[in-house]
Amino acid sequence: MGVGSGSGAGLGAGSGLGVGGDLGSGGSGFALFDTAIGRCGVAWGEQGIVGVQLPERSVGATVARLRRYGQESVPPEVVQAAIRRIIGLLAGERDDLGDIEVDPAGIPEFDQRVYAVARAIPPGETLTYGEVAARLGLPGSAQAVGQALGRNPYPIVIPCHRVLGAGGKVGGFSAGDGAVTKLRMLGIEGAAPGGQPSLFD
């Protein structure tokens, strides 16, 4: 599961969106879609998905964050397929989204390594920032890991919500309702930290 499973599941240079993922004349744009946690958005460019937006406190605020990617438009079929899978995951389906590729252009190499570790965490499981750092061979870099995850442009697809602070603390989260959104997502996956509320509490 996660990075390294199937064909082209990583973030390496030249990654597009699946095999032959170059969207070519599909151009760029964004689309909104409804999920169990609210209205999300996805943005794409000619090389694939460039961003995923979790719900902000209003739909207008969500749209404002997506405008940098272009205009709202009908997504290509390959992006529509990714949207359907994101909706399914947030409805409780077991799907690690590991073969949905993202365009890594402009993402620092360290961040890509962090995202690869995060992407290998299956639904229902979590790691701490320190554990991610250890898997990178960089013990002591938990803070840098947290900062990289805070810059993650593809939440859900790169599941930064599955990385917690030491001792099961929720840690930071940059989506509209912050830790509340993170806990809701973990609750849907059955991985809410001990003593923390889930979506169903």
Side-chain angles (χ1 to χ4, degrees):
M1 300 179 77
V3 172
S5 64
S7 61
L11 289 166
S15 293
L17 190 66
V19 177
D22 188 338
L23 300 185
S25 60
S28 62
F30 71 88
L32 298 171
F33 55 96
D34 291 318
T35 75
I37 66 169
R39 180 158 286 190
C40 296
V42 63
W44 62 90
E46 292 187 357
Q47 300 302 316
I49 287 179
V50 296
V52 177
Q53 180 62 48
L54 293 173
E56 290 292 328
R57 296 184 187 277
S58 70
V59 174
T62 301
V63 170
R65 285 187 171 270
L66 289 162
R67 288 286 185 204
R68 57 184 164 156
Y69 297 113
Q71 297 298 312
E72 186 172 2
S73 57
V74 177
E77 175 54 38
V78 70
V79 178
Q80 292 184 37
I83 289 171
R84 289 191 291 269
R85 292 176 64 189
I86 292 169
I87 291 170
L89 175 67
L90 292 174
E93 294 180 10
R94 301 291 292 184
D95 186 347
D96 69 359
L97 310 181
D99 58 348
I100 296 177
E101 289 206 37
V102 295
D103 182 354
I107 303 297
E109 189 269 342
F110 175 78
D111 291 16
Q112 291 191 39
R113 292 177 62 200
V114 171
Y115 300 164
V117 174
R119 197 167 199 187
I121 308 169
E125 298 184 19
T126 61
L127 291 176
T128 66
Y129 298 108
E131 288 170 335
V132 172
R135 293 192 182 194
L136 293 172
L138 297 169
S141 63
Q143 184 174 4
V145 166
Q147 291 169 347
L149 291 170
R151 294 188 289 267
N152 175 20
Y154 331 98
I156 307 176
V157 175
I158 305 296
C160 50
H161 64 284
R162 295 180 194 143
V163 184
L164 304 173
K169 294 180 181 178
V170 177
F173 202 59
S174 57
D177 280 327
V180 173
T181 298
K182 186 170 185 174
L183 284 169
R184 293 185 71 193
M185 295 168 70
L186 290 170
I188 289 168
E189 296 177 355
Q196 299 286 354
S198 76
L199 174 65
F200 308 106
D201 290 331

